Amino acid sequence: MLTPHSRRLGHCPKQCHLESTDTAHSHYSRCLLTLLSSACSTVTPFDSAALQQFPRDSLSNWVKHRHVTTALTVCLLDSSQMESTEETESGNHTLLTEFVLSGLSSCPELQHLLFFTFCLVYTMTVVGNLLICVVTVHPTLCTSMYFFLRVLAFLDVSTASTVVPKMLVSFLSEDRNILYTSCATQLYCVIFFGATEWYLLAAMAYDRYVAICNPLRYTVIMNGRVCLSLVLLSCCSGNVVSVVQTAWVFTMPFCGPRKINHFFCDIPPLILLSCTDTSLYEKQMVAATVLVIFTPFCLILVSYACIISSILKISSAESRHKTFSTCSSHLIVVTLYCASGTLNYLRPNSRNSQDTKKVVAVIYTTIIPMLNPLIYSLRNKEVREVLIVTMTVLVKK
């Protein structure tokens, strides 16, 4: 195996190959002299005439010669320094090992207040969504709508758990470093759970369309196999989007400051750290946002256009109100997600807009996951009834 120094000196010429054991020292000495002359002539000046006067019949005499050994030592030291410099310069562009998150706020007086606030929000998110998962398993809530609701609750907990724990640690610690690989993983998870949830909302809109526009065949059309297929399709679509976006971001060279002006690894602040022209990527990001957000949104609009058309045909005002109330929770969640996603990824990517994007990111990573259980439980009579029964049983135990 060649060392860095041996790679710089090169291989021994063919004429220096050993032909016999008896002449090994003599041939080896001449070979090293030839390589030393060629390798060090451009690195370190020395008396080349000394090489010609050097005895070549003994390797031990060769290494004892003052001029040659001095030149060889200086040559190898300079060679090592040049390689180290080249590796360092190359690493500045591609071998970052960690980033630094700026956090939600740089004000020291707010850190403890923010910690307790978001700790409470995260606790409510986890408890509320776990209750939804438990309650919707009840035999009276075995329809496809509640199956989708369980999956939505799981995605909400996952999204919050990807972002909030690291944010809570940063409130109490001055160490806000995040490893390069951890940053890539966090970005992948945020995009995956967010995109999957958005596609799932489109599937839930289709479920509401079938339930209202074709109620007699609802259980036949939205059977367990169809529901599972829609969930898997949502996950696969979210995975494709996440892999492409994460790979695209982390193939860019980062040579600027390591500080990410955000409380988690997100696309807009990351591309600001790139040392290349990011205009093409920003256009691609806008195109991906339009594809990811507005394609499901168009499907949701078509579903609700058919739903509204069917509701308007109902003669009784009370029946119309009752029918539409089954969709109101879903519409609220869709509006919140669409608004926050559009504001975060379609606005111009400038350094002045990053503080605004932090607030928007807080909404879709922490606030919406906390509100979803409240929206679906408080506005759904069946869920409220089962929840009251479940809480009563737990209190009695």
Side-chain angles (χ1 to χ4, degrees):
M1 180 176 180
L2 293 175
T3 65
H5 307 304
S6 62
R7 286 197 300 268
R8 185 173 292 276
L9 290 175
H11 295 287
C12 183
K14 292 183 178 180
Q15 62 266 28
C16 294
H17 287 175
L18 301 183
E19 299 177 354
S20 65
T21 307
D22 297 336
T23 59
H25 287 175
S26 177
H27 282 279
Y28 188 60
S29 299
R30 282 194 292 272
C31 177
L32 289 178
L33 287 171
T34 302
L35 295 176
L36 181 61
S37 299
S38 62
C40 294
S41 60
T42 59
V43 178
T44 306
F46 64 95
D47 187 8
S48 59
L51 294 176
Q52 306 299 327
Q53 301 173 3
F54 182 72
R56 302 184 180 186
D57 58 340
S58 171
L59 183 62
S60 60
N61 289 334
W62 186 87
V63 297
K64 291 179 182 179
H65 196 280
R66 182 173 58 85
H67 296 286
V68 176
T69 53
T70 301
L72 179 61
T73 302
V74 175
C75 173
L76 294 181
L77 286 174
D78 288 350
S79 172
S80 175
Q81 290 175 357
M82 288 176 63
E83 289 182 351
S84 176
T85 302
E86 291 171 359
E87 291 174 0
T88 302
E89 291 176 352
S90 174
N92 285 340
H93 292 280
T94 59
L95 299 178
L96 283 178
T97 58
E98 61 182 16
F99 295 101
V100 179
L101 297 172
S102 66
L104 189 60
S105 174
S106 58
C107 182
E109 293 78 9
L110 293 177
Q111 300 305 306
H112 288 86
L113 176 62
L114 290 173
F115 172 81
F116 288 112
T117 301
F118 282 96
C119 187
L120 178 62
V121 170
Y122 182 62
T123 302
M124 293 176 62
T125 300
V126 174
V127 173
N129 284 286
L130 287 179
L131 277 176
I132 290 292
C133 292
V134 172
V135 168
T136 52
V137 180
H138 196 274
T140 60
L141 303 177
C142 60
T143 61
S144 57
M145 181 179 74
Y146 298 108
F147 171 74
F148 289 132
L149 194 56
R150 283 197 298 274
V151 178
L152 183 68
F154 170 77
L155 293 174
D156 283 336
V157 172
S158 301
T159 300
S161 299
T162 302
V163 175
V164 178
K166 178 65 178 177
M167 181 171 60
L168 292 177
V169 172
S170 69
F171 289 143
L172 300 180
S173 172
E174 294 182 357
D175 183 13
R176 296 183 177 182
N177 294 347
I178 182 170
L179 294 175
Y180 183 91
T181 53
S182 300
C183 186
T185 303
Q186 188 182 54
L187 178 63
Y188 169 84
C189 291
V190 169
I191 298 175
F192 171 72
F193 293 128
T196 301
E197 188 160 345
W198 189 235
Y199 285 114
L200 183 68
L201 290 173
M204 294 174 72
Y206 174 72
D207 173 75
R208 291 296 83 209
Y209 159 74
V210 176
I212 294 173
C213 299
N214 204 346
L216 297 180
R217 299 189 60 200
Y218 175 62
T219 55
V220 176
I221 296 175
M222 299 302 295
N223 55 56
R225 184 176 179 180
V226 171
C227 293
L228 184 60
S229 299
L230 289 173
V231 170
L232 292 177
L233 182 61
S234 300
C235 292
C236 291
S237 301
N239 182 62
V240 171
V241 172
S242 183
V243 168
V244 171
Q245 293 297 311
T246 305
W248 200 311
V249 171
F250 282 92
T251 51
M252 294 190 300
F254 297 104
C255 57
R258 297 183 302 123
K259 191 171 184 179
I260 301 174
N261 187 19
H262 217 293
F263 59 91
F264 71 96
C265 292
D266 200 10
I267 294 176
L270 274 171
I271 62 177
L272 288 176
L273 303 183
S274 176
C275 55
T276 59
D277 182 16
T278 60
S279 57
L280 179 62
Y281 179 78
E282 291 179 16
K283 294 177 182 177
Q284 181 271 340
M285 185 178 70
V286 172
T289 302
V290 171
L291 182 65
V292 173
I293 293 182
F294 287 100
T295 300
F297 185 69
C298 289
L299 297 176
I300 293 171
L301 285 180
V302 171
S303 298
Y304 275 102
C306 297
I307 289 171
I308 293 172
S309 177
S310 298
I311 291 176
L312 293 177
K313 294 177 183 179
I314 301 174
S315 57
S316 171
E318 183 180 353
S319 299
R320 286 199 300 268
H321 180 268
K322 183 178 180 180
T323 303
F324 188 77
S325 65
T326 61
C327 306
S328 58
S329 300
H330 181 260
L331 273 175
I332 294 172
V333 175
V334 167
T335 303
L336 290 173
Y337 268 108
C338 186
S340 59
T342 302
L343 289 173
N344 193 56
Y345 295 107
L346 287 184
R347 294 185 62 188
N349 193 21
S350 64
R351 297 183 188 275
N352 295 330
S353 66
Q354 291 305 307
D355 291 336
T356 304
K357 290 186 176 183
K358 285 184 185 181
V359 177
V360 175
V362 167
I363 294 174
Y364 72 81
T365 58
T366 59
I367 304 301
I368 294 179
M370 179 193 69
L371 293 178
N372 278 350
L374 300 176
I375 293 171
Y376 280 102
S377 61
L378 295 179
R379 300 185 63 86
N380 190 303
K381 183 179 179 181
E382 294 176 333
V383 173
R384 287 201 308 270
E385 290 176 352
V386 175
L387 182 60
I388 292 172
V389 172
T390 303
M391 294 301 294
T392 304
V393 172
L394 291 175
V395 169
K396 288 181 179 180
K397 288 184 178 181

